[in-house]
Amino acid sequence: MRDVLVLKITGKAFDEGSTLISRYVKLLKSMVSEYRLIVITGGGNTARKYISDARSLGISSNYWLDLIGIWVSRLNSLLITSSLQPYAYPKPAVSLEEVLEALSSHRVVAMGGLIPGQSTASTAIEVVEAVGAEKLYYFSAVGYAYDRDPAKYPDAKPLREVNASLLKKILEQKQLPGEYALIDEKALDLAIRSKILVQLISYREPEKLLDALRGENPGSLIHPA
Amino acid sequence: MRDVLVLKITGKAFDEGSTLISRYVKLLKSMVSEYRLIVITGGGNTARKYISDARSLGISSNYWLDLIGIWVSRLNSLLITSSLQPYAYPKPAVSLEEVLEALSSHRVVAMGGLIPGQSTASTAIEVVEAVGAEKLYYFSAVGYAYDRDPAKYPDAKPLREVNASLLKKILEQKQLPGEYALIDEKALDLAIRSKILVQLISYREPEKLLDALRGENPGSLIHPA
Amino acid sequence: MRDVLVLKITGKAFDEGSTLISRYVKLLKSMVSEYRLIVITGGGNTARKYISDARSLGISSNYWLDLIGIWVSRLNSLLITSSLQPYAYPKPAVSLEEVLEALSSHRVVAMGGLIPGQSTASTAIEVVEAVGAEKLYYFSAVGYAYDRDPAKYPDAKPLREVNASLLKKILEQKQLPGEYALIDEKALDLAIRSKILVQLISYREPEKLLDALRGENPGSLIHPA
Amino acid sequence: MRDVLVLKITGKAFDEGSTLISRYVKLLKSMVSEYRLIVITGGGNTARKYISDARSLGISSNYWLDLIGIWVSRLNSLLITSSLQPYAYPKPAVSLEEVLEALSSHRVVAMGGLIPGQSTASTAIEVVEAVGAEKLYYFSAVGYAYDRDPAKYPDAKPLREVNASLLKKILEQKQLPGEYALIDEKALDLAIRSKILVQLISYREPEKLLDALRGENPGSLIHPA
Amino acid sequence: MRDVLVLKITGKAFDEGSTLISRYVKLLKSMVSEYRLIVITGGGNTARKYISDARSLGISSNYWLDLIGIWVSRLNSLLITSSLQPYAYPKPAVSLEEVLEALSSHRVVAMGGLIPGQSTASTAIEVVEAVGAEKLYYFSAVGYAYDRDPAKYPDAKPLREVNASLLKKILEQKQLPGEYALIDEKALDLAIRSKILVQLISYREPEKLLDALRGENPGSLIHPA
Amino acid sequence: MRDVLVLKITGKAFDEGSTLISRYVKLLKSMVSEYRLIVITGGGNTARKYISDARSLGISSNYWLDLIGIWVSRLNSLLITSSLQPYAYPKPAVSLEEVLEALSSHRVVAMGGLIPGQSTASTAIEVVEAVGAEKLYYFSAVGYAYDRDPAKYPDAKPLREVNASLLKKILEQKQLPGEYALIDEKALDLAIRSKILVQLISYREPEKLLDALRGENPGSLIHPA
Ligand SMILES: Nc1ncnc2c1ncn2[C@@H]1O[C@H](COP(=O)(O)OP(=O)(O)OP(=O)(O)O)[C@@H](O)[C@H]1O
Ligand SMILES: Nc1ncnc2c1ncn2[C@@H]1O[C@H](COP(=O)(O)OP(=O)(O)OP(=O)(O)O)[C@@H](O)[C@H]1O
Ligand SMILES: Nc1ncnc2c1ncn2[C@@H]1O[C@H](COP(=O)(O)OP(=O)(O)OP(=O)(O)O)[C@@H](O)[C@H]1O
Ligand SMILES: Nc1ncnc2c1ncn2[C@@H]1O[C@H](COP(=O)(O)OP(=O)(O)OP(=O)(O)O)[C@@H](O)[C@H]1O
Ligand SMILES: Nc1ncnc2c1ncn2[C@@H]1O[C@H](COP(=O)(O)OP(=O)(O)OP(=O)(O)O)[C@@H](O)[C@H]1O
Ligand SMILES: [Co+2]
Ligand SMILES: [Co+2]
Ligand SMILES: [Co+2]
Ligand SMILES: [Co+2]
Ligand SMILES: [Co+2]
Ligand SMILES: [Co+2]
Ligand SMILES: [Mg+2]
Ligand SMILES: [Mg+2]
């Protein structure tokens, strides 16, 4: 499936009204005749708020907390789906089989997380694997992989190219609902096993996807090694 | 199904953190051994925010706007579902058949809206009809049916008992996503055809449900006539 | 979806053997290369007979009576589906999501009612809304909207153009299984909110659809106002 | 599953209004606390009428003709389902897996045919096999297996006990939609392989089931040999 | 559906590593642009082994033994499905409706058995009937229909053309899980009722399909008479 | 859900005919009235054989190779399911939601893997998390966690108690279809985040489960730290 692009958009893109999302929508619309598009959306602040409310209600099970986050990520994906009618598969795909099936008769498939216990980053890599693509375009909050967590270390340096195995060591992984880090170990391991490149791009600059498609590296490139 | 209670909770109950919801949860937990419970939740502010964002993205189709609202109402229902484990059916029911089926092996079923083009109030009445119950306990923002819209007329008077056909005339109906009124015409018509009583209760006082179960009227009672 | 036509056919068309249906089938076949077609069928006499038998069995629940009517309407739709192979989606669609999904890879989708508590007329308007069309072609028993019930008043006058809000007042609505009126309030309300035109055509003259497509009005035109 | 009874009711029982069906319903209600019940219904005249209409529409595919018959048999099963609320699984089961699953939390499961190309008699035997029962109670138009087709030979003699392999030879099998004979070869073969007894009872005398449960033979008994 | 070919491949083709299967895969790949292909696979030795293990575990129900065989046949079909990506429907079809639906947007659909109590041969004929094709290409262990069971009688003579009704008499039918014969009665009856030709071809020579498509008879031809 | 036990059985237990499995079946039967049981089965040699055949067919996608392994693991689970009728949910559960739902009306649920890209060990931990249990009983090929891979180092020493974080470092992880190691990183991470104990037991001694239930440690105990 040469013409299939897989994109992951951080949930943070949905946190600030429609201005930013409308740029994604515009971009995707311009690409829909040339590419088939799979868009995996994160949960963002709404997910964090709901998970926090759930904790206050006494829910401590990570299964349920993750599931709530997944439903928010699906809700975010509906904004993409409804904006890209009639090209988009009319509901959030909830399994990899459904992604494959939906792709056979739709130009666009949007979706959130698939299963409690794994981040939307891992989900995105699994989608790349399932459709036989080679690269994940990953719109993240930070836009680059850094040599240290940039939220904690103002002097962290961006790594324009980095091996997945090195990044695994750099990232301080959390596995808690709503707090998965930039990209988790499992996602990186899957990328390595299936030789999938991850192109990081700042979520504030969706249009840089076009640069990436021209062969440039507008953020960080994570190599499956 | 004598022991089945059907409750509708306005989405506004989910707008203010977990304090209010935790009172609902506590109440429902105390009742779960005596009653089987079906809880229909509204969308509240989160629905209104997402619908508003969707409009800004250029989505004008009421189908898609309603669907987004429905997904938020389902997300709200998940807070109930996860709080009432292991008694609650583990996902939001999405059809009346699923409600009936779920009820055969679970003490609690929580759900949001079912289909674009109708309010969660209509959905709730349909559920009452499907399970063969006689009454809907309806936790609404205002707690009473008034002789005029209380949001606009500070001197509106609460009606402790009112016929559905009269209330139809009082209510100024809107049919727009996120803006269904107290209870819409369709819901009232269905209540009339199936002789279903609607007990309004203020959403800020969930515990008044116990008064209602003792035969009192802690809000307004809408008669199917 | 400019090329999508939504048609509602009264269940009465299925009451008199295959002669009339075969004209619908011939018409639809001639259009299938130019248009994608969604056909919503009613229940007709078979529905009324089954609902009457159910009542005699002591079933008083409107949920179950409506559901039986819905299953008959789906059975009727199967005659359309099987006649239009291999163009038609191979089963009755049972949700709006399924309609959208089926339409992405089929020229024809046939279906009956969707949910107890609403007429196939409301269902048809919801379908129009969901697929983003602008008009419903409505093959009804009477062919026109009249200023009074023509079954009771022989001197009732046909209204060639009429506003939905006026028609709501004219129609004496029943909401009982098997006895939904020409077009119910809810359908008209939905038509108004989504600016959908309803073109009434006599069910005895399916070919007049072609006139309607040429811009004529071969029955009554209901305006969403 | 010792307490599970499997019953097949000929579609003809649904041809004459509700009088006869109401006797089945009364009987089943009286048994529901003692037994779990699976009821397979045939299509009867409504099936034959719809299949005939379909043929007139030019449909010659046995797949579609059978499928239409199956949908009518499911419609008939809904009369049983709705009459036995809240004990009955709320929809017609459409696969053997669904039968097993439904039976785990419901006292009654009603259903029609499962798959084009096989009679509801074969379906009924498969159900007996799937639930691990030993006998099928088979309410047929004739009540007995005869040594010749009783519709053609007025002097045909009833066989009170007969081996399935002998009956296979007696019956002139038709395999056409709507015209499956008393019990088809496939059903008899399945009965033999799984050692299932078939108790024929006249469909006009549902109450004779009670005699059969007391060990009597109120019709013909077909032995799996 | 003129361009649809239906193929049944005996489970034995999956018993000897990948060499033989890879010839099927190569053949199917070469045909996928010209034809839509439905491939029904049998269970082979793996099915027989699992069924035998199940018997040793004390499972005597033919429902469960057949179901285990069906799951193995689906597993075999996955080898075809995964080899023919992205053309193949991404999962084994499990109902005739799913076959029809899958075929509307995929060049290839692979599947195993559908329902306990019938062979994959019957399943294959039902598929031919459902898609409206005229012929089944049947890759069997023996390649010809013989006048006697060739496994028992070394001097059995191949019948290059034979009527289905004659073959019914020749075949000694077994109806046990894992031991369905060349082609069972039910399959032959269905072929007769729907006028379906069965072209037998030796499973060791998949390429002979091309001869058959040129109008030759590279094995035995079973006529629906 | 205090009475729920979650068991993972290595696929190797299915590699040697029915002798070993029948001991598991006997054990599970003896426990079914006291506990609700969820059994996750691995793929074993059959999985490895099919994956190897698939590779020979040129399939290099880990998605498809994993999926084939998952289908074999589900096939293995069917042996458990059919042996434990009528207590067991009648099909392999394929999602965590289905596990929860099945558990509400069945004493036993058997299943294989859920999603490509993760081992059945991770699946098992996710199940423990979803049902709110505290421990996984893990029947593995080796029975103990060793300080080095015992397959390579004959002098490897068993660790009777070990922290998950230490074990992560010891294990040399492979992430390839059919070759997941004892227990993978992701499973251990999930165990840590949800404080789940893993009790390793040799797959050759299923009865030691009873010792474990009495509070003994018949293998290795992996602590979530
Ligand atoms: N070395 C590092 N390089 C880059 N980011 C890092 C690093 N270490 C930690 N992070 C953190 O990873 C996070 C990445 O945020 P992002 O929103 O893209 O992820 P997300 O969890 O997928 O979002 P969502 O779940 O809302 O979709 C940032 O908060 C950043 O501080
Ligand atoms: N006569 C009237 N009596 C009572 N309420 C009225 C009347 N007319 C209009 N209303 C309005 O109906 C609304 C009822 O709000 P409520 O939140 O209970 O309903 P809701 O739309 O179902 O909420 P949600 O969709 O968020 O679940 C109030 O905003 C109130 O002002
Ligand atoms: N030897 C025979 N003994 C008994 N009945 C026979 C025999 N040969 C043919 N028949 C015919 O079998 C038919 C049995 O009818 P019955 O209604 O029970 O079957 P059915 O096909 O299941 O009905 P439906 O499809 O309407 O549910 C009768 O029409 C009878 O004439
Ligand atoms: N007269 C006959 N002509 C041909 N084959 C016969 C005849 N009688 C019996 N057979 C047997 O039928 C079998 C056909 O085997 P084949 O593998 O094609 O069937 P299958 O049941 O579909 O296989 P699987 O279930 O593994 O897919 C052979 O074992 C053959 O001996
Ligand atoms: N330190 C270690 N301690 C124990 N086992 C180890 C260790 N390192 C590697 N292993 C390997 O882990 C494997 C565990 O096998 P097991 O069959 O239980 O797992 P499995 O992969 O889940 O099986 P299946 O997939 O067939 O269900 C053994 O082959 C063993 O050699
Ligand atoms: Co598809
Ligand atoms: Co149930
Ligand atoms: Co589609
Ligand atoms: Co169940
Ligand atoms: Co389709
Ligand atoms: Co349940
Ligand atoms: Mg509202
Ligand atoms: Mg392993």
Side-chain angles (χ1 to χ4, degrees):
Chain A
M1 298 201 190
R2 269 297 138 96
D3 64 332
V4 178
L5 295 187
V6 184
L7 283 65
K8 200 244 158 193
I9 306 178
T10 174
K12 292 190 179 63
F14 296 82
D15 289 348
E16 32 194 300
S18 59
T19 325
L20 186 50
I21 303 297
S22 66
R23 284 167 58 197
Y24 280 93
V25 168
K26 197 177 160 198
L27 174 72
L28 297 174
K29 272 186 187 160
S30 76
M31 299 173 68
V32 84
S33 64
E34 196 169 357
Y35 298 100
R36 279 183 292 163
L37 302 164
I38 306 179
V39 182
I40 298 100
T41 54
N45 276 342
T46 308
R48 269 175 283 273
K49 180 208 164 282
Y50 268 87
I51 289 169
S52 154
D53 282 358
R55 283 213 174 86
S56 303
L57 287 171
I59 299 163
S60 60
S61 159
N62 288 315
Y63 171 80
W64 287 103
L65 297 173
D66 260 351
L67 198 63
I68 287 167
I70 286 172
W71 275 73
V72 177
S73 67
R74 288 173 183 164
L75 176 61
N76 284 338
S77 79
L78 267 186
L79 289 178
I80 303 294
T81 295
S82 51
S83 299
L84 285 161
Q85 287 303 309
Y87 304 109
Y89 181 68
K91 55 188 168 184
V94 300
S95 73
L96 295 172
E97 281 177 354
E98 192 178 359
V99 173
L100 286 181
E101 173 48 18
L103 204 60
S104 72
S105 50
H106 299 267
R107 303 295 304 170
V108 181
V109 179
M111 60 192 291
L114 287 183
I115 189 171
Q118 84 180 27
S119 66
T120 47
S122 285
T123 296
I125 296 281
E126 286 173 349
V127 168
V128 173
E129 209 177 60
V131 301
E134 288 163 6
K135 209 185 251 192
L136 173 65
Y137 299 91
Y138 192 106
F139 296 92
S140 79
V142 287
Y144 299 94
Y146 287 85
D147 60 354
R148 297 193 281 175
D149 183 346
K152 296 185 198 151
Y153 306 90
D155 62 337
K157 292 202 183 57
L159 305 164
R160 299 300 306 271
E161 311 230 352
V162 60
N163 280 356
S165 47
L166 178 58
L167 191 57
K168 269 180 73 171
K169 281 171 204 148
I170 290 173
L171 293 170
E172 290 168 36
Q173 299 291 342
K174 290 182 235 173
Q175 305 258 349
L176 297 181
E179 297 182 39
Y180 295 102
L182 175 69
I183 181 162
D184 53 312
E185 283 186 42
K186 190 196 163 192
L188 292 169
D189 283 336
L190 289 173
I192 293 170
R193 82 164 190 170
S194 289
K195 301 192 178 44
I196 293 166
L197 278 163
V198 178
Q199 172 69 66
L200 289 181
I201 306 176
S202 165
Y203 82 117
R204 304 209 144 278
E205 317 215 48
E207 299 80 7
K208 285 202 171 164
L209 176 60
L210 300 175
D211 300 337
L213 290 174
R214 270 192 302 269
E216 295 171 27
N217 171 8
S220 291
L221 196 56
I222 307 175
H223 289 274
Chain B
M1 298 200 190
R2 269 297 139 96
D3 64 332
V4 178
L5 296 187
V6 184
L7 283 66
K8 200 244 157 193
I9 307 177
T10 173
K12 291 189 180 61
F14 296 83
D15 288 348
E16 30 195 300
S18 59
T19 324
L20 186 51
I21 303 297
S22 66
R23 284 168 58 197
Y24 281 92
V25 168
K26 197 179 160 197
L27 174 72
L28 297 174
K29 273 186 187 160
S30 77
M31 300 172 69
V32 84
S33 65
E34 196 168 356
Y35 298 100
R36 280 181 292 162
L37 302 163
I38 308 179
V39 182
I40 298 100
T41 52
N45 277 343
T46 309
R48 271 176 281 274
K49 181 212 163 273
Y50 267 88
I51 289 168
S52 154
D53 282 357
R55 283 212 173 87
S56 303
L57 286 171
I59 300 165
S60 59
S61 159
N62 287 315
Y63 171 80
W64 286 103
L65 297 172
D66 260 351
L67 197 65
I68 288 167
I70 285 171
W71 275 73
V72 177
S73 67
R74 289 174 183 164
L75 176 62
N76 284 337
S77 79
L78 267 186
L79 289 178
I80 303 295
T81 295
S82 51
S83 299
L84 284 160
Q85 287 304 307
Y87 304 108
Y89 181 68
K91 54 189 167 182
V94 300
S95 74
L96 295 172
E97 282 176 354
E98 192 178 358
V99 174
L100 286 180
E101 172 48 19
L103 204 59
S104 72
S105 50
H106 300 267
R107 303 296 301 171
V108 181
V109 180
M111 59 191 291
L114 287 183
I115 188 172
Q118 84 181 26
S119 66
T120 48
S122 284
T123 296
I125 297 282
E126 286 173 349
V127 168
V128 174
E129 209 177 60
V131 301
E134 287 163 7
K135 207 185 254 193
L136 173 65
Y137 299 92
Y138 192 106
F139 296 93
S140 79
V142 287
Y144 299 94
Y146 287 85
D147 61 354
R148 297 193 282 175
D149 183 345
K152 294 187 198 149
Y153 305 90
D155 62 338
K157 293 202 181 56
L159 306 163
R160 298 301 304 270
E161 309 230 352
V162 60
N163 280 355
S165 47
L166 176 60
L167 191 56
K168 268 180 74 171
K169 280 171 203 147
I170 291 173
L171 293 170
E172 291 168 35
Q173 299 290 342
K174 289 181 235 173
Q175 304 258 348
L176 296 181
E179 297 181 38
Y180 295 101
L182 175 67
I183 181 164
D184 53 312
E185 284 186 40
K186 192 196 161 191
L188 292 169
D189 283 336
L190 289 172
I192 294 170
R193 82 164 190 171
S194 289
K195 301 192 177 41
I196 293 166
L197 277 163
V198 178
Q199 171 69 66
L200 289 182
I201 305 175
S202 166
Y203 82 117
R204 303 210 144 277
E205 317 215 48
E207 299 79 8
K208 287 201 170 164
L209 176 61
L210 300 174
D211 300 337
L213 290 174
R214 271 192 300 270
E216 296 170 28
N217 170 6
S220 291
L221 196 57
I222 307 175
H223 289 274
Chain C
M1 298 201 191
R2 270 296 138 95
D3 64 332
V4 177
L5 296 186
V6 185
L7 283 65
K8 201 243 157 195
I9 306 178
T10 173
K12 292 193 177 62
F14 296 83
D15 288 348
E16 31 194 300
S18 58
T19 325
L20 186 50
I21 303 298
S22 67
R23 284 167 58 198
Y24 281 93
V25 168
K26 196 177 161 199
L27 174 72
L28 297 174
K29 271 185 189 161
S30 77
M31 299 171 69
V32 84
S33 64
E34 197 169 356
Y35 298 99
R36 279 183 291 162
L37 302 163
I38 307 178
V39 182
I40 298 101
T41 55
N45 276 343
T46 308
R48 268 176 286 274
K49 180 209 163 279
Y50 268 87
I51 289 169
S52 155
D53 282 357
R55 282 212 174 86
S56 303
L57 287 171
I59 300 163
S60 60
S61 159
N62 288 315
Y63 171 80
W64 286 103
L65 297 173
D66 260 351
L67 198 64
I68 287 167
I70 286 171
W71 276 74
V72 177
S73 67
R74 288 174 183 163
L75 177 61
N76 284 338
S77 79
L78 266 187
L79 289 177
I80 303 295
T81 295
S82 51
S83 299
L84 285 161
Q85 287 303 308
Y87 304 109
Y89 181 68
K91 54 189 168 183
V94 300
S95 73
L96 295 172
E97 281 176 355
E98 192 179 357
V99 173
L100 286 181
E101 173 47 19
L103 205 59
S104 72
S105 51
H106 299 267
R107 302 297 301 172
V108 181
V109 179
M111 60 191 291
L114 288 183
I115 189 172
Q118 85 180 25
S119 66
T120 48
S122 285
T123 296
I125 296 282
E126 286 173 350
V127 169
V128 174
E129 209 177 59
V131 303
E134 287 162 7
K135 208 185 251 193
L136 172 66
Y137 298 91
Y138 192 107
F139 295 93
S140 79
V142 286
Y144 299 94
Y146 287 84
D147 61 353
R148 298 193 281 175
D149 183 346
K152 295 186 197 151
Y153 304 90
D155 62 337
K157 291 203 183 56
L159 305 164
R160 299 300 305 270
E161 311 230 351
V162 60
N163 280 357
S165 46
L166 177 58
L167 191 56
K168 269 179 72 171
K169 282 172 203 145
I170 291 173
L171 293 170
E172 291 168 35
Q173 300 291 342
K174 290 182 233 173
Q175 305 258 348
L176 297 180
E179 296 182 41
Y180 293 101
L182 173 69
I183 179 162
D184 53 313
E185 282 186 42
K186 192 198 160 189
L188 293 169
D189 282 336
L190 289 173
I192 293 169
R193 81 164 190 171
S194 289
K195 302 191 175 44
I196 293 167
L197 276 164
V198 179
Q199 171 69 65
L200 288 180
I201 305 176
S202 166
Y203 81 117
R204 303 210 143 278
E205 317 217 47
E207 299 80 7
K208 286 201 171 164
L209 176 61
L210 300 175
D211 300 338
L213 290 175
R214 271 191 301 270
E216 296 170 26
N217 171 8
S220 290
L221 196 57
I222 307 175
H223 290 275
Chain D
M1 298 202 192
R2 269 297 139 96
D3 64 332
V4 178
L5 296 186
V6 184
L7 285 64
K8 200 245 158 193
I9 307 177
T10 173
K12 290 188 180 63
F14 296 84
D15 287 349
E16 30 194 300
S18 58
T19 324
L20 186 51
I21 302 296
S22 66
R23 285 168 56 200
Y24 281 93
V25 168
K26 197 178 160 197
L27 174 72
L28 297 174
K29 272 185 188 160
S30 77
M31 300 172 68
V32 84
S33 66
E34 197 169 355
Y35 298 99
R36 279 182 293 161
L37 302 163
I38 308 178
V39 182
I40 298 99
T41 54
N45 276 343
T46 309
R48 271 176 282 274
K49 181 211 163 276
Y50 268 86
I51 288 169
S52 155
D53 282 357
R55 282 213 174 86
S56 303
L57 287 171
I59 299 165
S60 59
S61 159
N62 288 315
Y63 171 80
W64 286 103
L65 297 172
D66 259 351
L67 197 65
I68 287 166
I70 286 171
W71 275 74
V72 177
S73 66
R74 289 174 183 164
L75 176 61
N76 284 337
S77 79
L78 267 186
L79 289 178
I80 303 296
T81 295
S82 51
S83 299
L84 284 161
Q85 287 303 309
Y87 304 109
Y89 181 69
K91 54 189 169 183
V94 300
S95 73
L96 295 172
E97 281 176 355
E98 192 179 357
V99 173
L100 286 181
E101 172 49 19
L103 204 59
S104 72
S105 50
H106 300 266
R107 303 296 301 172
V108 181
V109 180
M111 60 190 293
L114 287 183
I115 188 172
Q118 86 180 25
S119 66
T120 48
S122 285
T123 296
I125 296 282
E126 286 173 350
V127 168
V128 175
E129 208 177 62
V131 302
E134 287 163 8
K135 208 184 252 194
L136 173 65
Y137 299 92
Y138 192 107
F139 296 92
S140 78
V142 287
Y144 299 94
Y146 287 84
D147 60 353
R148 298 193 283 176
D149 184 345
K152 295 187 197 148
Y153 304 91
D155 61 338
K157 292 203 182 54
L159 306 163
R160 298 300 305 270
E161 309 231 353
V162 60
N163 280 356
S165 47
L166 178 58
L167 191 56
K168 267 180 74 172
K169 281 172 203 144
I170 291 173
L171 293 169
E172 291 168 37
Q173 300 291 342
K174 290 180 233 173
Q175 305 258 349
L176 297 181
E179 297 182 39
Y180 293 101
L182 175 69
I183 181 164
D184 52 313
E185 282 186 43
K186 193 197 159 190
L188 292 169
D189 283 335
L190 290 172
I192 293 170
R193 81 164 190 170
S194 289
K195 302 192 176 40
I196 294 166
L197 277 163
V198 178
Q199 171 70 64
L200 288 182
I201 305 175
S202 166
Y203 82 116
R204 303 209 144 279
E205 316 215 48
E207 299 80 7
K208 287 201 170 164
L209 176 61
L210 300 175
D211 300 337
L213 289 174
R214 272 192 299 269
E216 296 170 26
N217 171 7
S220 291
L221 196 57
I222 307 175
H223 289 274
Chain E
M1 298 202 190
R2 270 297 138 96
D3 64 332
V4 178
L5 296 186
V6 184
L7 284 64
K8 200 244 159 193
I9 306 177
T10 173
K12 292 189 179 61
F14 296 82
D15 288 348
E16 31 194 300
S18 58
T19 325
L20 187 50
I21 303 297
S22 67
R23 284 167 58 198
Y24 281 92
V25 168
K26 197 178 160 197
L27 175 72
L28 297 174
K29 272 186 187 160
S30 77
M31 299 172 69
V32 84
S33 66
E34 198 169 354
Y35 298 99
R36 279 183 293 163
L37 302 163
I38 307 178
V39 183
I40 298 100
T41 53
N45 277 343
T46 308
R48 270 175 282 274
K49 181 210 164 277
Y50 267 87
I51 289 169
S52 154
D53 282 357
R55 283 212 173 87
S56 305
L57 286 171
I59 299 164
S60 59
S61 158
N62 288 315
Y63 171 80
W64 286 104
L65 297 173
D66 260 352
L67 198 64
I68 287 167
I70 286 172
W71 275 73
V72 177
S73 67
R74 287 174 184 164
L75 177 61
N76 284 338
S77 78
L78 267 187
L79 289 178
I80 303 295
T81 295
S82 51
S83 299
L84 284 160
Q85 286 304 308
Y87 303 109
Y89 182 67
K91 54 188 169 185
V94 300
S95 74
L96 295 172
E97 281 176 354
E98 192 179 357
V99 173
L100 286 180
E101 173 48 18
L103 204 60
S104 72
S105 51
H106 299 267
R107 302 298 300 173
V108 181
V109 180
M111 60 191 290
L114 287 183
I115 189 171
Q118 85 180 25
S119 67
T120 48
S122 285
T123 296
I125 296 282
E126 286 173 350
V127 168
V128 174
E129 209 177 60
V131 301
E134 288 163 7
K135 208 184 250 192
L136 173 65
Y137 298 92
Y138 192 107
F139 296 92
S140 79
V142 287
Y144 299 94
Y146 286 85
D147 59 355
R148 297 193 284 175
D149 183 346
K152 296 188 198 150
Y153 304 90
D155 61 337
K157 291 203 183 55
L159 305 164
R160 298 300 305 271
E161 310 230 352
V162 60
N163 280 356
S165 47
L166 176 60
L167 191 56
K168 270 180 71 171
K169 282 174 203 144
I170 290 173
L171 292 171
E172 290 168 36
Q173 299 291 342
K174 289 181 236 174
Q175 306 258 347
L176 296 182
E179 296 182 41
Y180 294 101
L182 175 68
I183 182 164
D184 54 312
E185 283 187 41
K186 192 197 160 190
L188 292 169
D189 282 336
L190 289 173
I192 293 170
R193 82 164 191 170
S194 290
K195 301 191 176 42
I196 293 167
L197 278 163
V198 179
Q199 171 70 65
L200 289 181
I201 305 176
S202 166
Y203 83 116
R204 304 209 144 278
E205 316 215 47
E207 299 80 7
K208 285 201 171 165
L209 175 61
L210 300 175
D211 299 337
L213 290 174
R214 271 191 301 269
E216 296 171 26
N217 171 7
S220 291
L221 196 58
I222 307 175
H223 289 275
Chain F
M1 297 202 190
R2 269 296 140 96
D3 65 332
V4 178
L5 296 187
V6 185
L7 284 64
K8 200 247 158 190
I9 307 177
T10 173
K12 291 189 178 64
F14 297 82
D15 288 348
E16 29 194 303
S18 58
T19 325
L20 187 50
I21 303 297
S22 66
R23 284 167 57 198
Y24 280 93
V25 168
K26 197 177 160 199
L27 174 71
L28 297 174
K29 273 186 188 159
S30 77
M31 299 172 69
V32 85
S33 65
E34 196 168 356
Y35 298 99
R36 279 182 293 161
L37 302 164
I38 307 178
V39 182
I40 298 100
T41 53
N45 277 343
T46 309
R48 271 175 280 275
K49 180 210 162 279
Y50 267 87
I51 289 169
S52 154
D53 282 358
R55 284 213 173 86
S56 303
L57 287 171
I59 299 164
S60 59
S61 159
N62 287 316
Y63 171 81
W64 287 103
L65 297 172
D66 259 351
L67 197 64
I68 287 167
I70 285 172
W71 275 74
V72 177
S73 67
R74 288 173 183 165
L75 176 61
N76 284 338
S77 79
L78 266 186
L79 289 177
I80 302 296
T81 295
S82 50
S83 299
L84 284 161
Q85 287 303 308
Y87 304 109
Y89 181 68
K91 54 189 168 182
V94 300
S95 73
L96 295 172
E97 281 177 354
E98 192 179 357
V99 173
L100 286 180
E101 173 49 19
L103 205 59
S104 72
S105 50
H106 300 267
R107 303 296 301 171
V108 181
V109 180
M111 60 191 291
L114 287 183
I115 188 172
Q118 85 181 24
S119 67
T120 48
S122 285
T123 296
I125 296 281
E126 286 173 350
V127 168
V128 174
E129 208 177 63
V131 302
E134 287 163 8
K135 208 185 252 192
L136 172 66
Y137 299 93
Y138 192 106
F139 296 94
S140 80
V142 287
Y144 297 95
Y146 287 85
D147 61 353
R148 297 194 281 176
D149 183 346
K152 294 186 200 151
Y153 304 90
D155 61 338
K157 292 205 182 53
L159 306 164
R160 299 300 305 271
E161 309 231 354
V162 60
N163 280 356
S165 47
L166 177 58
L167 191 56
K168 267 180 74 170
K169 280 172 205 147
I170 290 174
L171 293 170
E172 291 167 36
Q173 300 291 342
K174 290 181 234 172
Q175 305 259 347
L176 297 181
E179 297 181 40
Y180 293 102
L182 175 68
I183 182 164
D184 53 313
E185 283 186 41
K186 193 197 160 190
L188 292 169
D189 283 336
L190 289 173
I192 293 170
R193 80 163 192 172
S194 289
K195 301 192 177 40
I196 293 166
L197 276 163
V198 179
Q199 171 69 65
L200 288 181
I201 305 176
S202 165
Y203 81 118
R204 304 211 144 275
E205 316 216 47
E207 299 80 7
K208 287 202 170 162
L209 176 60
L210 300 174
D211 300 337
L213 290 174
R214 271 192 301 270
E216 295 170 28
N217 170 7
S220 290
L221 196 56
I222 307 175
H223 289 275

